[in-house]
Amino acid sequence: MDFNLTEQQLMMQKLFREVAQNEVKENAADVDENERFPKESVEVMRQAKMLGIPYSREYGGAGADYLCYILAIEELSKTCATSGVVLSAHTSLGTWPIAQFGTEEQKQRFLTDLCTGKKLAAFGLTEPNAGTDAAGQQTTAVLDGDEYVINGTKIFITNAGEADVYVIFAMTDKTKGTRGISAFILEKGTPGFTFGLHEKKLGIRGSATCELIFNNVRIPKENLLGKEGMGFKIAMQTLDGGRIGIAAQALGIAQGAIDEAVAYVKQRKQFGRPIAKFQNTQFQLADMQTKTDAARWLVYSAATAKQEGRPYTQLAAEAKLFAAETAMEVTTKAIQLLGGYGYTRDLPVERMFRDAKITEIYEGTSEVQRMVISGAMLK
Ligand code: CAA
């Protein structure tokens, strides 16, 4: 499918594809099987300057556009969806709010290390009682002299423990609802900041998903991101961009499963001929690719809208909703085409099927995306 990618986008897509196919793919099964964080992928990304793709060169980024970054997640996720989400959580969720809302001093302190990949980032919004209802934050931050004192717990935090820098959200004024939530930058190693339960998951099993525990964590008041009370809007705007990243992850998973299925049906023989010769196989593949191309169009459109400064909240939600549901449908069909072999761990499609499911859940469930889309339609 041709989206009229620019020369730079085509060049970067080629580079990301080579990185993913030649250096990330080989570890994907092991990362999944042993539920281990893909340190090699992060190192490869660091060397290929993939950890700051859409950020200014002034801060160590690649100075490329948002679609280039989205192409990177897509290519990684074709082979290793765990590596895809490490990049997405780092770039969209942990780094973007600092680049967007940080003071010059905060950018100097944090952004350059994040863009060059010296440090990894994460985002702490979800709590045991504040998942879809993100406004129900119970973590508190109280100003005490020149420091904020933070208490509370976050759960399901991607890159937790592996990341060095965390953008987290806490209530600074419980009487003000969403306008009482503030955003903070927190560093690993700060006294009182520890990591709890490491989740065992169905898919993206190498991605670190862990609790953040804040027990009287004291941070300088200079670590407030934006102004007090801006936290909810910072979180929502960050998620608008993050959702395009997860949509790209879903897109990559779907295309990866199609690529595996096409290779398989050409060589697998039944009834004396390759199963690619049967019309059922052909029609299944046609439906899988059509949906995936439609998802790609939405994902690239959302990325382009963000890059061009057009509104993208609704488009990002549509891209994530459609790409996530497409990834589930396509990976289910891919297993069916591969039959018994597809159900085993000898082939990567069962992993892709398990990895696809989370794209319908994190950074806003499909139901949340429907709320966002219909909310914009009915405004
Ligand atoms: N951009 C800017 N501002 C926004 C906004 C957006 N996209 N969405 C809402 N706001 C603003 C509203 O304008 C409103 O502002 P005012 O106070 O000035 O009027 C304020 O925020 C409150 O808005 P709502 O009343 O619409 O908020 P709500 O409480 O009804 O929530 C929701 C709406 C869409 C359900 C939201 O809570 C939501 O997106 N929930 C899902 C949370 C989520 O995605 N969590 C994922 C966690 S992170 C993760 O998964 C990371 C990972 O592991 C990879």
Side-chain angles (χ1 to χ4, degrees), residues 93 126 132 158 179 232-233 236 239-240 243 362-364:
L93 297 185
T126 303
T132 287
T158 303
R179 293 177 186 195
F232 194 73
K233 286 193 179 162
M236 289 299 115
L239 284 167
D240 283 342
R243 287 168 184 164
Y362 60 16
E363 296 200 34

Side-chain angles (χ1 to χ4, degrees), residues 243-255:
R243 287 168 184 164
I244 310 175
I246 299 306
Q249 184 197 27
L251 171 62
I253 295 170
Q255 190 61 58

Side-chain angles (χ1 to χ4, degrees), residues 315-369:
L315 210 41
E318 289 178 14
K320 181 177 181 291
L321 172 64
F322 191 75
E325 295 194 344
T326 297
M328 272 318 290
E329 188 181 323
V330 164
T331 53
T332 304
K333 285 188 166 167
I335 292 190
Q336 196 66 20
L337 286 175
L338 272 63
Y341 293 104
Y343 195 67
T344 70
R345 292 199 181 176
D346 294 342
L347 297 176
V349 177
E350 66 82 33
R351 166 167 49 84
M352 294 169 171
F353 169 81
R354 288 184 286 104
D355 288 346
K357 185 62 199 168
I358 190 61
T359 66
E360 293 186 317
I361 298 172
Y362 60 16
E363 296 200 34
T365 59
S366 290
E367 292 73 19
V368 163
Q369 310 313 322

Side-chain angles (χ1 to χ4, degrees), residues 146-259:
D146 285 344
E147 293 176 325
Y148 281 98
V149 184
I150 302 180
N151 280 289
T153 303
K154 301 285 174 183
I155 53 163
F156 301 148
I157 305 307
T158 303
N159 288 349
E162 303 293 337
D164 309 279
V165 176
Y166 296 76
V167 171
I168 63 119
F169 300 85
M171 274 285 179
T172 39
D173 187 343
K174 282 191 172 172
T175 64
K176 290 189 178 159
T178 53
R179 293 177 186 195
I181 298 172
S182 303
F184 299 92
I185 307 170
L186 194 55
E187 290 179 271
K188 183 156 95 172
T190 307
F193 175 23
T194 53
F195 303 100
L197 189 71
H198 196 107
E199 304 294 344
K200 290 193 168 290
K201 307 186 295 293
L202 172 74
I204 54 157
R205 287 164 33 126
S207 161
T209 310
C210 207
E211 283 177 328
L212 310 182
I213 300 165
F214 313 127
N215 186 7
N216 287 324
V217 179
R218 301 186 83 91
I219 54 169
K221 71 175 195 296
E222 289 72 34
N223 285 24
L224 173 72
L225 186 59
K227 292 196 175 18
E228 265 199 22
M230 267 180 69
F232 194 73
K233 286 193 179 162
I234 292 177
M236 289 299 115
Q237 287 181 43
T238 303
L239 284 167
D240 283 342
R243 287 168 184 164
I244 310 175
I246 299 306
Q249 184 197 27
L251 171 62
I253 295 170
Q255 190 61 58
I258 292 173
D259 295 348

